[in-house]
């Protein structure tokens, strides 16, 4: 390329970037799109270096609305937001055509990436929370590329470490970051570091050494999407269809049937793009701020301990990600329909669920699956992150969170449990290889052909149901109608088929039993082989999640070591579901003024569904429950709000001091006093009273010497010794009494707003009295 031509390309790229920067109206956006397309049509891939070095970062900023001074918060002036506000369908289609995976921009991106002309450094501050903290820590950076396939070959040594990406990877990272950024800016608690004021996307681009090679031909034009909905969702669906086809990815290899013309490089390129895009969405949307992002077994195999728990513990997932995650997971589940679960090896799903534990499938190991788009592969990628995403939402959502904000995550869970109910009509623009299969794939009910899926995802149908019950009990007083609707939906899924109910119950039976030799129940014997993998999943997927610490839960202290959905104990699923139905009925009668009969009818239908789940052994009305049991459970789950309520003799299965912050407490003061109480209990040895129960032998007595005569007079030193000895004796006796009776120091009561108000009034009165006294003097 001549120097004058290169200078001209650089100047035109800079001018084009300036045009993009000032585009803030639909008309200007349309003009900018046309200018970008015109520039790329006129320049070959090897002439587009300056465009991707100067113009492309600016284009990303404008598309998503990232302010270069404050890139962590979209400023609302991005093209997506502007067009959503203007409701301009025509301009939205033009932007969609520009960003379409088969448009001229993405075709140029693919061609330039094949020449390796431009590389970018993605800012560490915008990476998923767990990755950012790991890179900043520095100790585990060396093995991060081995632990997480997303960073394999992309993490470069340096101080600090750098994440180097090609053009397509760089764009997809920003595309995935956009909804995370939107959610974090809506009053979400996050752990972000400060950003340099000199932040500029253009400063991250650097030119790599040119490599000789031929650029691929641009792909064919994609059919225009007729959906006039959210532009971002339309782009997401388009990228999923293009990069992660529903059928076998190997079928997209050119000359696949020809031994003479077959090229493994193209096949590898398609597979790597599919895997990269899936893992990008998983880690940005689903894992993100999870303090246990990788399998415990995988980390132990590398001798790695990620220092995340102390920083990210008890943080719920980012808000508003439920919608995009729902589209993503539902799309992956739809591959089960097209690939067909009938006739597949059931063990493939189980092997996928336990293989490496983290869904990190290397290219050499993909041979264990029938194909990269098979049931086992994508399911292994999503299982653990999705389970923890849903569970963290149920556990760590604050009490004042509107229930409707959790409904998207709830829908994600329900949709994942019903892959057989997915309709391919939700993804109208499928490629030619799957359009014929789409005609034959209609939503239907559960059948035995789905047994492998249910077994490999059994915790979604059992343990996660128990955690949802805990969530429902915690939020039943905020919106009982929505909670009842959620409960009805869950039980509907579990009881949608007699075969499904029997399978879930039979697995629960073998989980809690030992295989009997010569048993006639062959069905149960065949299920025993799945118990080890389910037990391993239970320990791994719920790693570090302490429900007792999160919300003072009713569950057993070893809640994550057992399955209790069908247990008949007081903390089992049957009792807790019945209690939830009774509480819902009570709450609806208290707060509902309209359509009370319809709402109570819904509760009645839930009780009927519970009868199907537990074989008819359920409580259907208050009269069937003993008064003592009602009062006991009513106190366990009474909403912690102000008003006329009883506060004594309330018992939690968890630590009483670690119950949720209620509305009549000062939150920061309660947290401080709980920590202070815990420290005092540890110092005094009150946390383990049974270890100090026999302390009578070590009791110290104060012996006062008579000295010979009854009339002796002792000095000040002896008197002080006597007083101190008396105080120490009282202290020891008091601590002994508290240990013997299981008592502990609990200063949390001082965080009550009533107590704080009285103290403030007393303090104000004292200050005023002292001030008036000084004035009178």
């Amino acid at each position: 390329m001549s120097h004058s031509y290169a200078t001209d390309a650089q100047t035109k790229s800079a001018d084009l970037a300036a045009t993009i920067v000032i585009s803030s109206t639909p008309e200007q956006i349309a003009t900018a799109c046309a200018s970008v397309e015109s520039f790329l049509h006129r320049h070959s891939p090897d002439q587009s270096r300056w465009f991707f070095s100067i113009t492309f970062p600016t284009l990303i900023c404008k598309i998503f609305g990232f302010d270069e001074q404050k890139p962590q918060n979209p400023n609302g002036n991005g093209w997506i937001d502007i067009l959503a506000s203007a409701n301009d369908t025509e301009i939205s289609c033009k932007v969609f055509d520009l960003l379409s995976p088969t448009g001229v921009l993405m075709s140029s991106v693919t061609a330039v990436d094949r020449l390796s002309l431009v590389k970018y450094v993605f800012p560490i501050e915008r990476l998923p929370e767990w990755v950012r903290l790991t890179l900043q820590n520095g100790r585990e950076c060396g093995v991060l590329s081995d632990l997480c396939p997303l960073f394999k070959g992309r993490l470069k040594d340096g101080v600090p470490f750098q994440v180097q990406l090609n053009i397509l990877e760089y764009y997809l990272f920003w595309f995935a970051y956009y909804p995370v950024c939107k959610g974090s800016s809506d009053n979400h608690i996050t752990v972000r570091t400060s950003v340099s004021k000199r932040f500029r996307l253009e400063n991250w681009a650097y030119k790599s050494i040119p490599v000789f090679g031929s650029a691929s031909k641009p792909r064919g034009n994609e059919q225009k999407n007729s959906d006039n909905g959210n532009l971002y969702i339309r782009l997401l669906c388009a990228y999923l269809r293009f990069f992660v086809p529903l059928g076998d990815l190997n079928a997209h290899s050119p000359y696949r049937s020809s031994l003479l013309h077959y090229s493994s490089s193209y096949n590898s390129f398609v597979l790597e793009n599919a895997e990269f895009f899936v893992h990008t969405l998983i880690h940005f949307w689903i894992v993100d701020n999870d303090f246990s992002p990788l399998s415990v077994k995988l980390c132990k195999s590398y001798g790695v301990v990620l220092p995340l728990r102390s920083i990210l513990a008890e943080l719920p997932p980012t808000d508003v990600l439920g919608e995009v995650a729902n589209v993503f997971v539902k799309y992956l589940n739809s591959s089960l329909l097209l690939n067909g679960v009938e006739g597949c090896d059931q063990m493939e799903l189980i092997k996928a669920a336990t293989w490496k534990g983290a869904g990190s499938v290397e290219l050499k190991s993909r041979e264990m699956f029938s194909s990269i788009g098979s049931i086992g592969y994508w399911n292994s990628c999503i299982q653990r992150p999705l389970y923890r995403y849903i569970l963290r939402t149920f556990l760590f959502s604050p009490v004042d969170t509107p229930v409707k904000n959790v409904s998207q995550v709830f829908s994600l869970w329900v949709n994942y449990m019903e892959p057989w109910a997915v309709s391919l009509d939700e993804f109208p623009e499928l490629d030619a290889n799957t359009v014929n299969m789409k005609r034959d794939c209609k939503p239907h009910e559960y059948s035995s052909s789905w047994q492998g899926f249910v077994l490999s995802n059994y915790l979604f149908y059992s343990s996660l149901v128990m955690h949802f019950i805990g969530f429902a009990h915690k939020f039943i007083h905020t919106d009982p109608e929505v909670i009842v609707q959620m409960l009805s939906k869950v039980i509907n899924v579990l009881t949608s088929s007699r075969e499904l109910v029997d399978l879930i119950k039979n697995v629960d039976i073998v989980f809690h039993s030992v295989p009997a030799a010569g048993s006639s129940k062959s069905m149960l014997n065949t299920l025993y082989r799945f118990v080890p993998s389910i037990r391993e999943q239970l320990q791994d997927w719920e790693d570090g999640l302490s429900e007792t610490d999160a919300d003072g839960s009713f569950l057993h202290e070893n809640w994550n070591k057992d399955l209790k959905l069908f247990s008949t104990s007081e903390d089992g699923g049957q009792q807790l579901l019945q209690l939830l139905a009774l509480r819902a009925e009570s709450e609806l009668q208290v707060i509902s003024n309209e359509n009370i009969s319809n709402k109570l009818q819904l509760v009645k239908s839930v009780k009927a569904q519970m009868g199907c789940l537990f074989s008819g052994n359920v409580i259907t009305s208050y009269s069937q429950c003993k008064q003592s049991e009602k009062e006991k459970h009513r106190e366990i789950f009474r909403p912690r709000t102000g008003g006329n309520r009883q506060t004594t003799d309330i018992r939690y299965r968890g630590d009483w001091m670690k119950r949720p912050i209620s509305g009549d407490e000062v939150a920061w003061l309660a947290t401080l006093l709980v920590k202070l109480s815990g420290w005092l209990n540890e110092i005094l040895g009150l946390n383990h009273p049974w270890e100090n129960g026999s302390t009578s032998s070590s009791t110290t007595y104060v012996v006062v010497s008579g000295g010979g005569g009854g009339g002796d007079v002792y000095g000040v030193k002896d008197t002080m010794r006597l007083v101190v000895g008396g105080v120490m004796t009282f202290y020891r006796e008091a601590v002994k009494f508290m240990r013997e009776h299981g008592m502990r120091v609990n200063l949390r009561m001082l965080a009550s707003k009533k107590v704080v108000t009285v103290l403030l009034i007393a303090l104000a009165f004292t200050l005023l009295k002292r001030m008036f006294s000084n004035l009178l003097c």
Side-chain angles (χ1 to χ4, degrees), residues 8-24 28 31-33 35-36 39 50-63 68 79 200-202:
D8 181 64
Q10 180 180 1
T11 302
K12 289 183 177 180
S13 297
D15 294 340
L16 184 56
T19 302
I20 294 173
V21 167
I22 62 174
S23 57
S24 57
Q28 292 174 336
T31 301
C33 290
S35 300
V36 170
F39 181 93
W50 287 111
F51 172 85
F52 288 104
S53 298
I54 300 176
T55 311
F56 191 63
T58 304
L59 180 63
I60 291 177
C61 278
K62 290 303 295 183
I63 290 172
E68 293 188 358
W79 289 0
R200 291 187 64 84
L201 285 171
E202 290 86 343

Side-chain angles (χ1 to χ4, degrees), residues 122-131 150-151 165 169-170 172-181 192 276-289 318 321 389:
F122 194 81
I124 294 179
E125 295 84 359
R126 309 297 152 245
L127 292 169
E129 290 286 355
W130 78 270
V131 179
L150 183 61
F151 298 99
L165 307 171
E169 296 166 349
Y170 182 72
L172 292 180
F173 261 41
W174 283 113
F175 179 82
Y177 176 70
Y178 170 73
V180 178
C181 188
R192 296 287 184 190
F276 176 83
F277 188 47
V278 169
H279 283 291
T280 296
L281 299 185
I282 288 175
H283 285 280
F284 271 92
W285 294 352
I286 300 178
V287 179
D288 190 25
N289 59 355
T318 305
L321 288 180
Y389 175 82

Side-chain angles (χ1 to χ4, degrees), residues 84-104:
S85 301
N87 196 23
D88 195 319
T89 305
E90 182 180 356
I91 307 300
S92 294
C93 289
K94 291 184 178 180
V95 176
F96 178 83
D97 291 339
L98 174 66
L99 303 177
S100 167
T102 54
V104 61

Side-chain angles (χ1 to χ4, degrees), residues 223 241 245 252 429-439:
Q223 192 177 10
R241 290 192 302 266
H252 291 256
E429 293 183 11
L430 300 176
D431 55 73
N433 294 326
T434 58
V435 69
N436 293 328
M437 290 184 285
K438 174 183 171 182
R439 299 191 187 101

Side-chain angles (χ1 to χ4, degrees), residues 402-439:
V403 178
K404 293 183 179 179
N405 289 0
V406 188
S407 61
Q408 290 181 341
V409 178
F410 175 82
S411 299
L412 173 62
W413 173 39
V414 171
N415 290 334
Y416 184 79
M417 289 196 296
E418 288 189 298
W420 48 84
V422 174
S423 173
L424 296 183
D425 292 334
E426 299 179 35
F427 307 98
E429 293 183 11
L430 300 176
D431 55 73
N433 294 326
T434 58
V435 69
N436 293 328
M437 290 184 285
K438 174 183 171 182
R439 299 191 187 101

